[in-house]
Amino acid sequence: MTALTLSTAAAPGLRADAIVIGVAKGAASTSGGLVVAPGAEAVDKAYDGKLAGVLETLGASGAEGEVTKLPAPAGFKAPLVVAVGLGAEPEDAKDGAYDGEALRRAAGVAARALAGSKKAAFALPLGDAGDVGAVAEGVLLGAYAFDVYKGNGDNTQDKKKKNGKAPLAEAALLGGKPRDKEHKAAIERATAVSEELNRARDLINTPPNDLTPESFAAIASAAAKEHGIKVQVLDEKALAKGGYGGILGVGSGSAAGPRLVKLTYTSSKAAKHLAFVGKGITYDSGGISLKPAGHNETMKCDMSGAAAVFAAVVAAARIGLDVNVTGWLALAENMPSGSAVRPGDVLRMYSGKTVEVLNTDAEGRLVLADALWAASQEEPDAIVDVATLTGAMVLALGNRTFGVMANDDAFRSAIVEAAEEVGEASWPMPLPEHLRKGMDSPTADLANMGERMGGGLVAGLFLREFVGEGVTWAHIDIAGPAFNEGGPFGYTPKGGTGSGVRTLVRLAELTASGDLG
Ligand code: BES
Ligand code: MN
Ligand code: ZN
């Protein structure tokens, strides 16, 4: 990962491959034209204060995602200036009050544009420690590359032999204060969150022939131990003994058996306990209700919820939050075979309820049901599950927004607000009672499918059946934003995105500080 430093150095004397500056579309109250954002004063001065004009001549507009490269002015040690668009200039830009998400995205775009470089200096507006954290996250997340499987076929894993350019190695945040407690804490937090989020991306991008429930559990165990988190792994035998019919049923068609991983992070100063539950289908073929070609190529991403939970628990531990967090990873591979669960089978779930499996492709809710019930037994203050659960949620909200459902309206709002704070797009969704009867089964307590219309909400209603009485619960459906099939944007790469991680970490922080629940 990119090495980050806070630097008080002046831009001209800085030894680096490039200096990154911000440009914006000027607010109407000022010029209306292109403006150079605060932080780049020394660079602008070296262009005789005419940098905005120079950039406009080069076609720059300040639009989000825009990158304009120009030679550095005479006397600068760095050869290149990279101007990155911040979007519209805020009305109060004089105070350096750029939106954190605009900074995060711009830093990400610049970091991506600088792949192959050794060192870049970021001279972006840093109004407060929050901005330092946002730029740091943008750099670390934007510089991400997944190239483990690329190279010259010789398995050397030598970066020089990779096809792509190596990620930006070093970033100095100019204007950051290396001795300021808040600035240092912001860098530490951004580093912990981004490293774990990038690890979640690695897991998501790892092909399903290499990432099985067993190997995922092993990776989670090793990382958890490294950070003082307690780990328990239930394998097939233990799951059978415990009566986890949902996880076992979904995993029964695969040669790679299912696992339930429990990660326990405890703080001696904790007053509250949060449980995070993640859907971890390492590959979703649909099972006997097989997905058609065109719908299965990206289904290695179906463990993105479990990856997010894993990342969030480790990040909470690394930051040392004063809250107890339990992570549950419900891991299975959904495959068709002679031993696979069939449409028509009835599973006895961990909660004791029976479920008629009408469609084996509605498998996520089955593994989550067992994990939700297990999580409920500890009576945490709240449970949040994260899952690539339904195509219906993608139809409803598109590829960049996750849906949030809950058995408590205030909790649902708190999650949407937390997501907004960290720059994740989300939207509250209802759990309409009338959709519940569509899951009535003539044979079992309920079926794993209901009405097609509102399929994302039906799935939420199914999960609600497996949340313990009186436990506050929310469900985050990340089926849209979990995996980016389009080109990279902002700090979001192609492939696994790490959707949900930052919202979960924020929830843990808010719970630790007593600002939630
Ligand atoms: N993993 C899929 C949902 C999904 C779809 C995730 C697209 C990411 C992108 C899930 O297991 C699934 O297949 N859901 C079915 C449920 C249906 C059979 C009730 C769906 O949404 O079609
Ligand atoms: Mn499925
Ligand atoms: Zn699935």
Side-chain angles (χ1 to χ4, degrees):
M1 276 238 317
T2 314
L4 277 184
T5 50
L6 291 165
S7 170
T8 52
L14 216 110
R15 278 182 209 285
D17 298 307
I19 297 179
V20 176
I21 63 164
V23 289
K25 289 173 186 284
S29 62
T30 53
S31 62
L34 182 100
V35 294
V36 175
E41 290 80 4
V43 182
D44 190 21
K45 201 176 150 208
Y47 282 101
D48 292 333
K50 293 181 181 130
L51 182 53
V54 171
L55 285 164
E56 271 183 323
T57 307
L58 290 169
S61 70
E64 225 185 81
E66 179 187 85
V67 172
T68 312
K69 294 184 179 179
L70 68 165
F76 269 54
K77 290 238 162 70
L80 181 71
V81 171
V82 175
V84 61
L86 286 162
E89 180 192 29
E91 285 296 341
D92 51 357
K94 292 273 157 349
D95 314 323
Y98 274 80
D99 174 51
E101 177 62 3
L103 292 174
R104 198 180 287 112
R105 288 187 190 179
V109 168
R112 193 146 37 74
L114 285 163
S117 306
K118 283 221 171 61
K119 180 173 179 179
F122 285 72
L124 292 171
L126 298 180
D128 58 16
D131 294 347
V132 171
V135 171
E137 275 180 22
V139 170
L140 296 175
L141 298 176
Y144 174 83
F146 183 73
D147 53 12
V148 183
Y149 292 84
K150 281 187 182 278
N152 296 334
D154 57 2
N155 269 340
T156 56
Q157 310 231 337
D158 179 342
K159 287 277 178 227
K160 285 190 202 104
K161 291 190 178 169
K162 300 287 177 186
N163 296 334
K165 294 176 183 168
L168 174 66
E170 221 186 307
L173 307 198
L174 300 192
K177 302 178 194 137
R179 292 216 179 79
D180 183 300
K181 254 190 175 167
E182 287 184 26
H183 282 206
K184 277 200 295 195
I187 292 284
E188 275 165 30
R189 179 193 184 277
T191 303
V193 173
S194 306
E195 282 182 357
E196 296 313 320
L197 191 151
N198 283 341
R199 183 179 10 221
R201 289 171 171 179
D202 279 347
L203 289 168
I204 298 164
N205 290 329
T206 299
N209 52 338
D210 280 350
L211 192 82
T212 61
E214 185 182 6
S215 70
F216 192 156
I219 291 167
S221 299
K225 280 175 192 152
E226 198 183 312
H227 297 288
I229 296 162
K230 206 176 132 212
V231 200
Q232 280 167 278
V233 180
L234 301 190
D235 61 10
E236 293 119 302
K237 250 187 167 169
L239 289 167
K241 201 164 165 227
Y244 293 81
I247 297 174
L248 279 172
V250 172
S252 64
S254 173
R259 298 286 185 276
L260 177 63
V261 178
K262 180 185 180 189
L263 303 167
T264 310
Y265 164 66
T266 49
S267 158
S268 57
K269 291 189 219 137
K272 300 264 179 185
H273 176 199
L274 276 179
F276 296 152
V277 174
K279 170 178 172 181
I281 301 299
T282 56
Y283 183 69
D284 182 11
S285 73
I288 299 292
S289 313
L290 195 63
K291 285 182 188 294
H295 292 260
N296 52 21
E297 294 86 348
T298 59
M299 278 304 140
K300 67 176 181 182
C301 83
D302 216 17
M303 34 56 70
S304 295
V309 165
F310 169 44
V313 175
V314 178
R318 285 180 60 173
I319 304 168
L321 294 178
D322 295 330
V323 56
N324 293 335
V325 185
T326 311
W328 300 84
L329 318 181
L331 309 175
E333 185 182 40
N334 188 23
M335 294 290 274
S337 81
S339 58
V341 67
R342 321 154 183 78
D345 279 356
V346 172
L347 301 176
R348 183 171 296 279
M349 311 294 279
Y350 184 50
S351 78
K353 281 190 185 174
T354 54
V355 173
E356 183 179 13
V357 179
L358 292 180
N359 189 321
T360 64
D361 199 10
E363 84 297 339
R365 63 198 74 183
L366 298 172
V367 299
L368 287 171
D370 281 358
L372 283 168
W373 187 253
S376 296
Q377 300 320 296
E378 302 192 326
E379 298 181 359
D381 293 291
I383 302 178
V384 182
D385 77 70
V386 186
T388 46
L389 205 60
T390 65
M393 198 56 58
V394 192
L395 291 177
L397 297 177
N399 282 323
R400 296 192 186 181
T401 305
F402 57 67
V404 185
M405 285 146 266
N407 63 5
D408 179 303
D409 285 354
F411 191 52
R412 188 186 61 186
S413 301
I415 291 180
V416 171
E417 271 172 44
E420 164 82 31
E421 274 183 63
V422 296
E424 291 205 277
S426 75
W427 204 252
M429 301 295 273
L431 292 171
E433 293 299 336
H434 73 95
L435 290 175
R436 169 60 186 84
K437 68 178 181 309
M439 289 183 288
D440 284 348
S441 159
T443 317
D445 294 329
L446 76 166
N448 76 332
M449 254 187 72
E451 288 178 35
R452 198 169 78 84
M453 298 299 170
L457 321 180
V458 172
L461 283 163
F462 181 93
L463 297 180
R464 193 182 66 175
E465 299 280 321
F466 298 90
V467 175
E469 186 80 35
V471 179
T472 303
W473 156 80
H475 159 55
I476 302 182
D477 190 338
I478 58 169
F483 197 81
N484 176 24
E485 292 186 57
F489 58 92
Y491 51 86
T492 305
K494 203 173 166 64
T497 63
S499 175
V501 174
R502 289 177 299 132
T503 297
L504 291 183
V505 172
R506 189 69 196 133
L507 283 172
E509 283 175 337
L510 290 167
T511 307
S513 61
D515 295 311
L516 195 137

